[in-house]
Coordinates of all heavy atoms in Angstrom, one line a residue:
M12 N 11.3 2.9 -4.7 CA 10.1 3.3 -5.4 C 9.0 3.6 -4.4 O 8.9 3.0 -3.4 CB 9.7 2.3 -6.4 CG 10.6 2.0 -7.6 SD 10.0 0.8 -8.7 CE 10.7 -0.6 -8.0
V13 N 8.3 4.7 -4.7 CA 7.2 5.1 -3.9 C 5.9 5.1 -4.7 O 5.8 5.6 -5.8 CB 7.5 6.5 -3.3 CG1 6.3 7.0 -2.5 CG2 8.8 6.5 -2.5
F14 N 4.8 4.6 -4.0 CA 3.5 4.5 -4.6 C 2.5 5.1 -3.7 O 2.4 4.7 -2.5 CB 3.1 3.0 -4.9 CG 1.9 2.9 -5.8 CD1 2.0 2.8 -7.2 CD2 0.7 2.7 -5.2 CE1 0.9 2.7 -7.9 CE2 -0.5 2.6 -6.0 CZ -0.4 2.6 -7.3
D15 N 1.8 6.2 -4.1 CA 0.8 6.8 -3.2 C -0.5 6.0 -3.3 O -0.9 5.5 -4.3 CB 0.5 8.2 -3.7 CG 1.7 9.1 -3.5 OD1 2.4 9.0 -2.5 OD2 1.9 10.0 -4.3
L16 N -1.1 5.8 -2.1 CA -2.2 4.9 -2.0 C -3.2 5.4 -1.0 O -2.8 5.9 0.1 CB -1.7 3.5 -1.6 CG -2.6 2.4 -1.4 CD1 -3.2 1.9 -2.7 CD2 -1.9 1.2 -0.7
K17 N -4.5 5.3 -1.3 CA -5.6 5.6 -0.4 C -6.4 4.4 -0.2 O -7.0 3.8 -1.1 CB -6.4 6.7 -1.0 CG -7.6 7.1 -0.1 CD -7.2 7.8 1.1 CE -8.5 8.3 1.8 NZ -8.5 8.2 3.2
L18 N -6.3 3.8 1.0 CA -7.0 2.6 1.4 C -8.5 2.9 1.8 O -8.7 3.9 2.6 CB -6.3 1.8 2.5 CG -4.9 1.4 2.1 CD1 -4.2 0.8 3.4 CD2 -5.0 0.3 1.0
Q19 N -9.4 2.2 1.2 CA -10.8 2.5 1.5 C -11.4 1.4 2.5 O -12.5 1.7 3.0 CB -11.6 2.4 0.2 CG -11.1 3.4 -0.9 CD -11.3 4.8 -0.4 OE1 -12.2 5.2 0.3 NE2 -10.5 5.7 -0.9
S20 N -10.7 0.3 2.7 CA -11.3 -0.7 3.6 C -10.2 -1.6 4.2 O -9.1 -1.6 3.8 CB -12.3 -1.6 2.8 OG -11.6 -2.4 1.8
I21 N -10.7 -2.3 5.2 CA -9.8 -3.3 5.8 C -9.3 -4.3 4.9 O -8.2 -4.8 4.9 CB -10.5 -3.9 7.1 CG1 -10.6 -2.8 8.2 CG2 -9.7 -5.0 7.6 CD1 -9.4 -2.3 8.8
S22 N -10.2 -4.7 4.0 CA -9.8 -5.8 3.0 C -8.7 -5.3 2.1 O -7.8 -6.1 1.7 CB -11.0 -6.2 2.2 OG -11.6 -5.2 1.4
E23 N -8.7 -4.1 1.7 CA -7.6 -3.5 0.9 C -6.3 -3.5 1.7 O -5.2 -3.8 1.2 CB -7.9 -2.1 0.5 CG -9.0 -2.0 -0.6 CD -9.3 -0.6 -1.0 OE1 -8.7 0.3 -0.5 OE2 -10.2 -0.5 -1.8
L24 N -6.3 -3.3 3.0 CA -5.2 -3.3 3.8 C -4.7 -4.8 3.9 O -3.5 -5.0 3.9 CB -5.5 -2.8 5.2 CG -4.3 -2.8 6.2 CD1 -3.2 -2.0 5.8 CD2 -4.8 -2.3 7.6
A25 N -5.6 -5.7 4.1 CA -5.2 -7.1 4.1 C -4.6 -7.6 2.8 O -3.6 -8.3 2.9 CB -6.5 -8.0 4.4
E26 N -5.1 -7.1 1.7 CA -4.4 -7.4 0.4 C -3.0 -6.9 0.3 O -2.1 -7.6 -0.2 CB -5.3 -6.8 -0.7 CG -6.6 -7.5 -1.0 CD -7.4 -6.8 -2.0 OE1 -6.9 -6.0 -2.8 OE2 -8.6 -7.0 -2.0
L27 N -2.8 -5.7 0.8 CA -1.5 -5.1 0.8 C -0.5 -5.9 1.7 O 0.6 -6.1 1.4 CB -1.5 -3.6 1.3 CG -0.2 -2.9 1.3 CD1 0.5 -2.9 -0.1 CD2 -0.4 -1.5 1.8
Q28 N -1.1 -6.3 2.9 CA -0.3 -7.1 3.8 C 0.1 -8.4 3.1 O 1.2 -8.9 3.3 CB -1.0 -7.4 5.1 CG -0.3 -7.1 6.3 CD -1.1 -7.3 7.5 OE1 -2.3 -7.5 7.6 NE2 -0.4 -7.1 8.6
Q29 N -0.8 -9.0 2.4 CA -0.6 -10.3 1.7 C 0.5 -10.1 0.6 O 1.4 -10.9 0.5 CB -1.9 -10.8 1.1 CG -1.8 -12.1 0.5 CD -1.7 -13.2 1.5 OE1 -2.0 -13.0 2.7 NE2 -1.3 -14.4 1.1
L30 N 0.4 -9.0 -0.1 CA 1.5 -8.7 -1.1 C 2.8 -8.6 -0.4 O 3.8 -9.1 -0.9 CB 1.2 -7.4 -1.8 CG 0.2 -7.4 -2.9 CD1 -0.1 -5.9 -3.4 CD2 0.7 -8.2 -4.1
A31 N 2.9 -7.9 0.7 CA 4.1 -7.7 1.4 C 4.8 -9.0 1.9 O 6.0 -9.2 1.9 CB 3.9 -6.8 2.6
T32 N 3.9 -10.0 2.3 CA 4.5 -11.3 2.7 C 5.1 -12.1 1.6 O 5.9 -12.9 1.8 CB 3.4 -12.1 3.5 OG1 2.3 -12.3 2.6 CG2 2.9 -11.4 4.7
H33 N 4.6 -11.8 0.4 CA 5.1 -12.6 -0.8 C 6.2 -11.8 -1.6 O 6.7 -12.3 -2.5 CB 4.0 -12.9 -1.8 CG 3.0 -13.9 -1.2 ND1 3.3 -15.1 -0.8 CD2 1.7 -13.7 -0.9 CE1 2.2 -15.7 -0.3 NE2 1.2 -14.9 -0.3
A34 N 6.5 -10.6 -1.1 CA 7.4 -9.7 -1.8 C 8.9 -10.3 -1.6 O 9.2 -10.8 -0.6 CB 7.3 -8.3 -1.3
D35 N 9.7 -10.0 -2.6 CA 11.1 -10.4 -2.6 C 12.0 -9.4 -1.9 O 13.1 -9.7 -1.5 CB 11.6 -10.7 -4.0 CG 11.4 -9.5 -4.9 OD1 10.6 -8.6 -4.6 OD2 12.2 -9.4 -5.9
K36 N 11.4 -8.2 -1.6 CA 12.1 -7.2 -0.9 C 11.2 -6.5 0.1 O 10.0 -6.7 0.0 CB 12.6 -6.1 -1.9 CG 13.6 -6.7 -2.9 CD 14.2 -5.7 -3.8 CE 15.2 -6.5 -4.7 NZ 15.8 -5.7 -5.7
P37 N 11.8 -5.8 1.1 CA 10.9 -5.2 2.2 C 9.9 -4.2 1.6 O 10.2 -3.5 0.6 CB 11.9 -4.5 3.1 CG 13.2 -5.1 2.8 CD 13.2 -5.6 1.4
V38 N 8.8 -4.2 2.2 CA 7.7 -3.2 1.9 C 7.3 -2.4 3.1 O 7.1 -3.0 4.2 CB 6.4 -4.0 1.4 CG1 5.3 -3.0 1.0 CG2 6.8 -4.9 0.2
Y39 N 7.4 -1.1 3.0 CA 7.0 -0.2 4.1 C 5.9 0.6 3.7 O 5.7 1.0 2.6 CB 8.2 0.7 4.5 CG 9.5 -0.1 4.9 CD1 10.5 -0.4 4.0 CD2 9.6 -0.6 6.1 CE1 11.6 -1.1 4.3 CE2 10.7 -1.4 6.5 CZ 11.7 -1.6 5.6 OH 12.8 -2.4 5.9
I40 N 5.1 1.0 4.7 CA 4.0 2.0 4.6 C 4.3 3.2 5.4 O 4.6 3.0 6.6 CB 2.6 1.4 4.9 CG1 2.4 0.1 4.1 CG2 1.5 2.4 4.7 CD1 1.1 -0.6 4.5
A41 N 4.2 4.4 4.9 CA 4.5 5.6 5.6 C 3.3 6.6 5.4 O 2.6 6.5 4.4 CB 5.8 6.2 5.1
N42 N 3.2 7.5 6.4 CA 2.2 8.6 6.2 C 2.8 9.6 5.3 O 3.9 9.5 4.8 CB 1.8 9.2 7.6 CG 3.0 9.7 8.4 OD1 4.2 9.6 7.9 ND2 2.7 10.3 9.5
E43 N 2.0 10.6 4.9 CA 2.4 11.6 3.9 C 3.7 12.3 4.2 O 4.5 12.5 3.3 CB 1.3 12.6 3.7 CG 0.0 12.1 3.0 CD -1.0 13.1 2.9 OE1 -1.4 13.8 3.9 OE2 -1.5 13.3 1.8
D44 N 3.9 12.7 5.4 CA 5.1 13.4 5.7 C 6.3 12.5 6.2 O 7.3 13.0 6.6 CB 4.8 14.5 6.8 CG 4.2 13.9 8.1 OD1 4.1 12.7 8.2 OD2 3.9 14.7 9.0
D45 N 6.1 11.2 6.1 CA 7.1 10.2 6.3 C 7.6 10.2 7.8 O 8.7 9.8 8.1 CB 8.3 10.4 5.4 CG 8.9 9.1 5.0 OD1 8.3 8.0 5.3 OD2 10.1 9.1 4.5
Q46 N 6.8 10.7 8.7 CA 7.2 10.7 10.1 C 7.0 9.3 10.7 O 7.7 8.9 11.6 CB 6.3 11.7 10.9 CG 6.7 13.1 10.7 CD 6.0 14.0 11.6 OE1 4.9 13.7 12.2 NE2 6.5 15.3 11.8
I47 N 6.0 8.6 10.2 CA 5.8 7.2 10.7 C 6.0 6.3 9.5 O 5.4 6.4 8.5 CB 4.4 7.0 11.3 CG1 4.2 8.0 12.4 CG2 4.2 5.6 11.7 CD1 2.8 8.0 13.0
R48 N 6.9 5.3 9.7 CA 7.1 4.3 8.6 C 7.1 2.9 9.3 O 7.8 2.7 10.2 CB 8.4 4.5 7.9 CG 8.7 3.5 6.8 CD 10.0 3.7 6.2 NE 10.0 5.0 5.4 CZ 11.0 5.3 4.6 NH1 12.0 4.5 4.4 NH2 11.0 6.4 3.9
V49 N 6.3 2.0 8.8 CA 6.2 0.7 9.4 C 6.3 -0.4 8.3 O 6.0 -0.2 7.2 CB 4.8 0.5 10.2 CG1 4.7 1.5 11.3 CG2 3.6 0.6 9.2
D50 N 6.7 -1.5 8.8 CA 6.8 -2.7 7.9 C 5.4 -3.1 7.6 O 4.6 -3.3 8.4 CB 7.6 -3.8 8.6 CG 7.8 -5.0 7.8 OD1 7.1 -5.2 6.7 OD2 8.7 -5.8 8.1
A51 N 5.1 -3.3 6.3 CA 3.7 -3.7 5.9 C 3.3 -5.0 6.4 O 2.1 -5.3 6.4 CB 3.6 -3.6 4.4
R52 N 4.2 -5.9 6.8 CA 3.9 -7.2 7.3 C 3.5 -7.1 8.8 O 2.9 -8.1 9.3 CB 5.0 -8.2 7.1 CG 5.3 -8.4 5.7 CD 6.5 -9.3 5.5 NE 7.7 -8.5 6.1 CZ 8.9 -9.0 6.3 NH1 9.1 -10.2 6.0 NH2 9.8 -8.3 6.8
S53 N 3.8 -6.0 9.5 CA 3.6 -5.9 10.9 C 2.1 -5.5 11.2 O 1.7 -4.3 11.0 CB 4.5 -4.8 11.5 OG 4.2 -4.5 12.8
F54 N 1.4 -6.4 11.7 CA 0.0 -6.1 12.0 C -0.2 -5.0 13.0 O -1.0 -4.1 12.9 CB -0.7 -7.4 12.5 CG -2.2 -7.3 12.7 CD1 -3.1 -7.2 11.7 CD2 -2.7 -7.2 14.0 CE1 -4.4 -7.0 11.9 CE2 -4.0 -7.0 14.3 CZ -4.9 -6.9 13.2
L55 N 0.6 -5.1 14.1 CA 0.5 -4.1 15.1 C 1.1 -2.7 14.7 O 0.5 -1.7 15.0 CB 1.3 -4.5 16.4 CG 0.6 -5.7 17.1 CD1 1.5 -6.1 18.3 CD2 -0.8 -5.3 17.6
G56 N 2.1 -2.7 13.9 CA 2.6 -1.5 13.4 C 1.7 -0.7 12.5 O 1.7 0.5 12.5
L57 N 0.8 -1.4 11.8 CA -0.2 -0.7 10.9 C -1.2 0.1 11.7 O -1.8 1.0 11.1 CB -0.9 -1.8 10.1 CG 0.0 -2.5 9.1 CD1 -0.7 -3.6 8.4 CD2 0.6 -1.5 8.1
F58 N -1.4 -0.1 13.0 CA -2.3 0.7 13.8 C -1.8 2.1 14.1 O -2.5 2.9 14.5 CB -2.6 0.0 15.1 CG -3.5 -1.2 15.0 CD1 -3.1 -2.5 15.1 CD2 -4.9 -1.0 14.7 CE1 -3.9 -3.6 15.0 CE2 -5.7 -2.1 14.6 CZ -5.3 -3.4 14.7
A59 N -0.5 2.3 13.8 CA 0.1 3.6 14.0 C -0.2 4.6 12.9 O 0.0 5.8 13.1 CB 1.6 3.5 14.2
L60 N -0.7 4.1 11.8 CA -1.0 5.0 10.7 C -2.4 5.6 10.6 O -3.3 5.0 11.2 CB -0.7 4.2 9.4 CG 0.7 3.7 9.2 CD1 0.7 2.7 8.1 CD2 1.7 4.8 9.0
D61 N -2.5 6.8 10.0 CA -3.8 7.4 9.8 C -4.3 7.1 8.5 O -3.8 7.6 7.4 CB -3.6 9.0 10.0 CG -4.9 9.7 9.8 OD1 -5.9 9.1 9.7 OD2 -4.8 11.0 9.7
Y62 N -5.4 6.3 8.4 CA -5.9 5.8 7.1 C -6.9 6.8 6.5 O -7.4 6.6 5.4 CB -6.5 4.5 7.3 CG -5.5 3.4 7.6 CD1 -5.3 3.0 8.9 CD2 -4.7 2.9 6.6 CE1 -4.3 2.1 9.2 CE2 -3.7 2.0 6.9 CZ -3.5 1.6 8.2 OH -2.5 0.7 8.5
S63 N -7.2 7.9 7.1 CA -8.1 8.9 6.5 C -7.3 9.8 5.5 O -8.0 10.5 4.8 CB -8.6 9.8 7.6 OG -7.6 10.6 8.2
R64 N -6.0 9.6 5.4 CA -5.2 10.4 4.5 C -4.5 9.4 3.6 O -4.3 8.3 4.0 CB -4.2 11.3 5.2 CG -4.9 12.1 6.3 CD -4.0 12.9 7.0 NE -4.0 14.3 6.4 CZ -3.1 15.2 6.7 NH1 -2.2 15.0 7.6 NH2 -3.2 16.4 6.1
P65 N -4.0 9.9 2.4 CA -3.2 9.0 1.6 C -1.9 8.5 2.3 O -1.3 9.3 3.0 CB -2.9 9.8 0.4 CG -4.0 10.9 0.4 CD -4.3 11.1 1.8
L66 N -1.5 7.3 1.9 CA -0.3 6.8 2.5 C 0.7 6.5 1.3 O 0.4 6.6 0.2 CB -0.6 5.4 3.2 CG -1.6 5.5 4.3 CD1 -1.9 4.1 4.8 CD2 -1.0 6.3 5.5
K67 N 2.0 6.3 1.7 CA 3.0 5.9 0.7 C 3.4 4.5 0.9 O 3.7 4.1 2.1 CB 4.2 6.9 0.9 CG 3.9 8.3 0.6 CD 5.1 9.1 0.5 CE 5.7 9.4 1.9 NZ 6.8 10.3 1.8
V68 N 3.5 3.7 -0.1 CA 4.1 2.4 -0.1 C 5.5 2.5 -0.6 O 5.7 3.0 -1.7 CB 3.2 1.4 -0.9 CG1 3.9 0.0 -0.9 CG2 1.8 1.3 -0.4
I69 N 6.5 2.1 0.2 CA 7.9 2.3 -0.2 C 8.5 0.9 -0.3 O 8.5 0.1 0.6 CB 8.6 3.1 0.9 CG1 7.9 4.5 1.0 CG2 10.1 3.3 0.5 CD1 8.2 5.2 2.3
T70 N 9.0 0.6 -1.5 CA 9.6 -0.7 -1.7 C 10.4 -0.7 -3.0 O 10.2 0.1 -3.9 CB 8.5 -1.8 -1.8 OG1 9.1 -3.1 -1.9 CG2 7.6 -1.6 -3.0
D71 N 11.3 -1.7 -3.1 CA 12.1 -1.9 -4.3 C 11.6 -3.2 -5.0 O 12.2 -3.6 -6.0 CB 13.6 -2.1 -4.0 CG 14.2 -0.7 -3.7 OD1 13.7 0.3 -4.2 OD2 15.2 -0.7 -2.9
S72 N 10.5 -3.8 -4.5 CA 9.9 -5.0 -5.1 C 9.1 -4.6 -6.3 O 8.1 -4.0 -6.3 CB 9.1 -5.7 -4.1 OG 8.4 -6.7 -4.7
L73 N 9.6 -5.1 -7.5 CA 8.9 -4.9 -8.7 C 7.5 -5.6 -8.7 O 6.5 -5.1 -9.3 CB 9.7 -5.3 -9.9 CG 11.0 -4.5 -10.1 CD1 11.8 -5.1 -11.3 CD2 10.7 -3.1 -10.4
Y74 N 7.5 -6.7 -8.0 CA 6.2 -7.5 -7.9 C 5.1 -6.6 -7.2 O 4.0 -6.5 -7.7 CB 6.5 -8.8 -7.2 CG 5.2 -9.5 -6.8 CD1 4.4 -10.2 -7.7 CD2 4.8 -9.5 -5.4 CE1 3.3 -10.8 -7.3 CE2 3.6 -10.1 -5.0 CZ 2.9 -10.8 -6.0 OH 1.7 -11.4 -5.6
V75 N 5.5 -6.1 -6.1 CA 4.5 -5.3 -5.3 C 4.1 -4.0 -6.1 O 2.9 -3.7 -6.2 CB 5.1 -4.9 -4.0 CG1 4.2 -3.9 -3.3 CG2 5.3 -6.1 -3.1
M76 N 5.0 -3.4 -6.7 CA 4.7 -2.1 -7.5 C 3.8 -2.5 -8.7 O 2.8 -1.8 -8.9 CB 6.0 -1.5 -8.0 CG 6.8 -0.9 -6.9 SD 6.0 0.2 -5.8 CE 5.8 1.6 -6.8
R77 N 4.1 -3.6 -9.4 CA 3.2 -4.0 -10.5 C 1.8 -4.3 -10.0 O 0.8 -3.9 -10.7 CB 3.9 -5.1 -11.2 CG 3.1 -5.6 -12.4 CD 3.2 -4.5 -13.5 NE 2.4 -5.0 -14.7 CZ 1.6 -4.3 -15.3 NH1 1.4 -3.0 -15.0 NH2 0.9 -4.8 -16.4
M78 N 1.7 -5.0 -8.9 CA 0.4 -5.4 -8.4 C -0.4 -4.2 -8.0 O -1.6 -4.1 -8.2 CB 0.5 -6.4 -7.3 CG 1.1 -7.7 -7.7 SD 0.2 -8.5 -9.1 CE -1.3 -9.1 -8.2
L79 N 0.3 -3.2 -7.4 CA -0.4 -2.0 -7.0 C -0.9 -1.1 -8.2 O -1.9 -0.5 -8.2 CB 0.5 -1.1 -6.1 CG 0.8 -1.7 -4.7 CD1 1.8 -0.9 -4.0 CD2 -0.5 -1.7 -3.9
E80 N 0.0 -1.1 -9.3 CA -0.4 -0.4 -10.5 C -1.7 -1.1 -11.1 O -2.6 -0.4 -11.6 CB 0.7 -0.4 -11.5 CG 1.9 0.5 -11.1 CD 3.1 0.3 -11.9 OE1 3.1 -0.6 -12.8 OE2 4.0 1.1 -11.7
I81 N -1.7 -2.4 -11.1 CA -2.8 -3.1 -11.7 C -4.1 -2.8 -10.9 O -5.2 -2.5 -11.4 CB -2.6 -4.6 -11.7 CG1 -1.5 -5.0 -12.8 CG2 -3.9 -5.4 -12.0 CD1 -1.0 -6.4 -12.7
R82 N -4.0 -2.8 -9.6 CA -5.1 -2.5 -8.7 C -5.6 -1.0 -9.0 O -6.8 -0.8 -9.0 CB -4.7 -2.6 -7.2 CG -5.7 -2.2 -6.2 CD -5.1 -2.2 -4.8 NE -6.0 -1.5 -3.9 CZ -6.1 -0.2 -3.7 NH1 -5.4 0.6 -4.3 NH2 -7.0 0.2 -2.8
Q83 N -4.6 -0.1 -9.1 CA -5.0 1.3 -9.4 C -5.7 1.4 -10.7 O -6.7 2.2 -10.8 CB -3.8 2.2 -9.3 CG -4.0 3.6 -9.4 CD -4.8 4.2 -8.2 OE1 -4.6 3.7 -7.1 NE2 -5.5 5.2 -8.4
R84 N -5.3 0.8 -11.7 CA -5.9 0.8 -13.0 C -7.3 0.3 -12.9 O -8.3 0.8 -13.6 CB -5.1 0.1 -14.1 CG -3.9 0.9 -14.5 CD -3.3 0.3 -15.7 NE -2.0 0.9 -16.0 CZ -0.9 0.3 -16.2 NH1 -0.9 -1.0 -16.3 NH2 0.2 1.0 -16.5
A85 N -7.5 -0.8 -12.2 CA -8.8 -1.4 -12.1 C -9.8 -0.5 -11.4 O -11.0 -0.3 -11.8 CB -8.7 -2.8 -11.3
L86 N -9.3 0.2 -10.3 CA -10.2 1.2 -9.6 C -10.5 2.4 -10.6 O -11.7 2.8 -10.5 CB -9.4 1.7 -8.4 CG -9.3 0.8 -7.2 CD1 -8.4 1.3 -6.1 CD2 -10.7 0.4 -6.7
E87 N -9.6 2.8 -11.3 CA -9.8 3.9 -12.3 C -10.8 3.5 -13.3 O -11.7 4.3 -13.7 CB -8.5 4.4 -12.9 CG -7.6 5.2 -11.9 CD -6.3 5.4 -12.5 OE1 -6.0 5.1 -13.7 OE2 -5.5 6.1 -11.8
D88 N -10.7 2.3 -13.8 CA -11.7 1.8 -14.8 C -13.1 1.7 -14.2 O -14.1 2.1 -14.9 CB -11.3 0.4 -15.4 CG -10.1 0.5 -16.3 OD1 -9.7 1.6 -16.7 OD2 -9.5 -0.5 -16.6
A89 N -13.2 1.2 -13.0 CA -14.5 1.1 -12.3 C -15.1 2.5 -12.1 O -16.3 2.7 -12.3 CB -14.3 0.4 -11.0
M90 N -14.3 3.5 -11.8 CA -14.8 4.8 -11.6 C -15.3 5.4 -12.9 O -16.3 6.2 -12.9 CB -13.7 5.7 -11.0 CG -13.4 5.3 -9.5 SD -14.7 5.6 -8.4 CE -14.6 7.4 -8.2
A91 N -14.6 5.1 -14.0 CA -14.9 5.7 -15.3 C -16.2 5.1 -15.8 O -17.0 5.8 -16.5 CB -13.8 5.4 -16.3
R92 N -16.5 3.9 -15.5 CA -17.7 3.2 -15.9 C -18.9 3.6 -15.1 O -20.1 3.5 -15.6 CB -17.6 1.7 -15.8 CG -16.6 1.1 -16.8 CD -16.5 -0.4 -16.6 NE -15.4 -0.8 -17.5 CZ -14.8 -2.0 -17.3 NH1 -15.1 -2.8 -16.3 NH2 -13.8 -2.3 -18.1
A93 N -18.7 4.1 -13.9 CA -19.9 4.5 -13.1 C -20.4 5.9 -13.5 O -20.0 6.6 -14.2 CB -19.4 4.6 -11.6

C-alpha cells in the first residue's frame, strides 16, 4: 500500500519514524519518482530524501496506514475550520 505524504516539520518526521518502529511490517519512504527508497526507521537514510516535495510511504502494515489516515483527516479538519 502506498500513502502520499507531505511533511511540514521535523516533529512529523519523528512521528512517522515512531510509527515505523512499532509497525508489524517494514515501512519505507520514497521520493515521488521512487528513485530513492529508505527504511523509515533509518535516521541517516532519511537525510537522502527531498522534503520540499511530497513523499510516498510504502508499507503493508495496516496499523501504519490507519494512523496516517487519521493524521490526514485531522489535518483536513483543521484546514476546514481555519
Side-chain angles (χ1 to χ4, degrees):
M12 292 180 270
V13 177
F14 190 89
D15 293 323
L16 180 68
K17 176 72 171 138
L18 297 172
Q19 303 294 331
S20 68
I21 291 292
S22 63
E23 290 178 0
L24 179 60
E26 288 174 20
L27 181 58
Q28 229 178 354
Q29 187 73 16
L30 279 176
T32 59
H33 294 297
D35 56 337
K36 298 189 179 171
V38 180
Y39 300 99
I40 303 175
N42 58 356
E43 288 179 308
D44 57 3
D45 213 16
Q46 287 185 341
I47 300 174
R48 183 183 290 192
V49 298
D50 186 341
R52 296 174 297 171
S53 169
F54 183 74
L55 291 176
L57 295 175
F58 284 108
L60 298 169
D61 178 11
Y62 294 100
S63 65
R64 307 178 98 189
L66 300 171
K67 295 190 285 187
V68 178
I69 304 163
T70 185
D71 286 330
S72 172
L73 295 177
Y74 168 74
V75 171
M76 294 305 287
R77 183 67 180 134
M78 295 305 288
L79 290 173
E80 288 171 357
I81 290 170
R82 176 189 169 275
Q83 186 67 29
R84 285 191 188 134
L86 289 173
E87 288 171 0
D88 287 346
M90 294 292 286
R92 291 180 188 157

